[in-house]
Amino acid sequence: MSSRDAILQRLRHRSGGELTAPECDFSVLDRPEWTTAEKLDMFEQTIESVHGEVHRTTESGWIDRLAEILQSRGAQSLLIAKDHEIGQALQSATKGREDLPHLLIYDEPVESWQETLFSEVDAGITSTRGGIAETGSLILWPSVDEPRLMSLVPPIHIAVLKASELYTTFHQAMQSQGWATGMPTNALLISGPSKTADIEQTLAYGVHGPKELIVLVIE
């Protein structure tokens, strides 16, 4: 019998009764009840401290605000989801207006349009599953319709966040959304644009992901 088998056999025949999970005490994560306005102020302050950008808008005005932002950056193309309500709204909005860039719909395998995806997309827009005020983080839950590449590849990532889906802490978000019951293969927490530093501590943005992170908050 090998040492490995001997160890496993001892574990299988251990004495002392059935093992039970220890009680977890998360009281250190308890926070006062914040209003939506307070959470939004904290989220905005925190994410802007790391070069993120927040624009407060409304359900009826977010596309106009998006158009202004993209025009200010000279964006010629915008990557959108095919079936998500954000992509659907933008496809409808482009009919009859010229202030929005060309829409690229993510509706085929990455292998078939890799060159276009990595070279010709100026910005990508995604939904979010919520935000965390305390850390200024966005929660993204990639899907077949909104794959991870949509928030990773374009130099500008625009995320749409509903103010009503802001949580005070990460722990509160996990509990409220029932993460323990199931998660996707790739859940994301995004706290600012992509950044890295070299040995001289020179900070560079956009080396491994989007150079800009812009959040449209729907109030």
Side-chain angles (χ1 to χ4, degrees):
M1 178 183 295
S2 67
S3 298
R4 175 179 178 275
D5 291 337
I7 292 171
L8 291 175
Q9 188 178 62
R10 285 202 297 273
L11 289 173
R12 292 189 187 100
H13 295 89
R14 60 170 292 281
S15 59
E18 185 178 350
L19 290 175
T20 58
E23 290 188 10
C24 298
D25 180 8
F26 294 108
S27 59
V28 69
L29 299 176
D30 290 342
R31 299 289 187 275
E33 279 295 325
W34 290 358
T35 65
T36 298
E38 290 173 326
K39 285 185 283 189
L40 182 51
D41 287 343
M42 174 61 73
F43 174 82
E44 184 172 1
Q45 177 183 348
T46 308
I47 201 168
E48 287 188 344
S49 70
V50 291
H51 287 233
E53 190 173 310
V54 174
H55 296 264
R56 303 189 187 198
T57 182
T58 62
E59 190 68 45
S60 61
W62 72 269
I63 292 181
D64 292 335
R65 191 73 190 100
L66 172 67
E68 293 172 5
I69 293 168
L70 293 174
Q71 281 191 327
S72 71
R73 286 158 173 82
Q76 300 297 311
S77 60
L78 176 65
L79 185 64
I80 66 172
K82 178 183 177 183
D83 296 323
H84 193 279
E85 61 185 46
I86 292 174
Q88 293 282 329
L90 285 168
Q91 290 178 66
S92 299
T94 51
K95 299 172 183 174
R97 58 186 297 173
E98 299 179 350
D99 56 346
L100 284 169
H102 175 61
L103 300 182
L104 292 170
I105 301 173
Y106 202 129
D107 60 354
E108 56 184 301
V110 62
E111 293 80 8
S112 63
W113 66 318
Q114 187 170 338
E115 181 64 27
T116 299
L117 185 62
F118 282 82
S119 304
E120 300 178 16
V121 177
D122 294 323
I125 187 169
T126 70
S127 63
T128 63
R129 192 179 167 90
I132 302 168
E134 191 175 57
T135 57
S137 304
L138 297 168
I139 304 168
L140 267 65
W141 216 254
S143 64
V144 174
D145 189 41
E146 275 191 334
R148 170 73 176 105
L149 288 179
M150 289 188 65
S151 63
L152 179 66
V153 173
I156 302 172
H157 175 209
I158 299 169
V160 179
L161 169 67
K162 295 179 180 177
S164 59
E165 295 178 345
L166 265 174
Y167 301 93
T168 303
T169 65
F170 182 36
H171 182 246
Q172 184 189 36
M174 289 192 296
Q175 284 195 315
S176 300
Q177 296 185 352
W179 287 29
T181 61
M183 294 177 62
T185 304
N186 192 359
L188 307 175
L189 295 176
I190 299 176
S191 304
S194 171
K195 51 187 174 294
T196 188
D198 61 16
I199 197 170
E200 295 181 342
Q201 298 297 299
T202 302
L203 197 59
Y205 290 90
V207 177
H208 303 296
K211 189 174 184 179
E212 289 190 79
L213 173 64
I214 299 169
V215 185
L216 293 177
V217 179
I218 310 294
E219 294 188 274

